Amino acid sequence: SDNVVLAVLEYSGVQTSSSVDQSTGLDNQTCSAGGLMTGAAMTPTDFNALFVAAFMSSLSPDTVTAGGGFTLRENHPDGTVDSTDIQLYVLHQLNCDNPTAYTPTAQFGSPGAVEFCVAEALFKD
């Protein structure tokens, strides 16, 4: 059976119209041997941007750590499913400023190479 994962995140201070500064995504990526998922670097065009990255993978190690100033906001499911299910790991970083390039990463607690994809968005303050 197919599984659908729905996650809702709410932030205050994000513009309600024309709020997306940039977006990108990567498909068919492979973790490094150490279990590191790496997204694409993005540079905000202004100050105080919100960077959100959603990693999707079939590996369910239960432990994922956000890297490089990002915070893990969503870890679904909690590792109680088999490896055929899709796992969602949502990271965010607040107050991203131009001209810095930000690259989201997520590290699995148990190493292993696995395919993943990631969708990213920068939101204006």
Side-chain angles (χ1 to χ4, degrees), residues 40-99:
M42 287 201 298
T43 303
T45 58
D46 208 339
F47 300 97
N48 300 317
L50 166 66
F51 195 137
V52 176
F55 288 92
M56 290 141 286
S57 170
S58 62
L59 185 63
S60 179
D62 214 4
T63 304
V64 171
T65 304
F70 284 81
T71 301
L72 183 66
R73 283 296 306 265
E74 180 71 28
N75 181 357
H76 177 82
D78 62 2
T80 59
V81 297
D82 65 43
S83 62
T84 62
D85 294 323
I86 299 300
Q87 313 302 307
L88 175 66
Y89 307 101
V90 178
L91 317 177
H92 80 192
Q93 186 165 7
L94 303 172
N95 302 319
C96 297
D97 291 335
N98 177 280

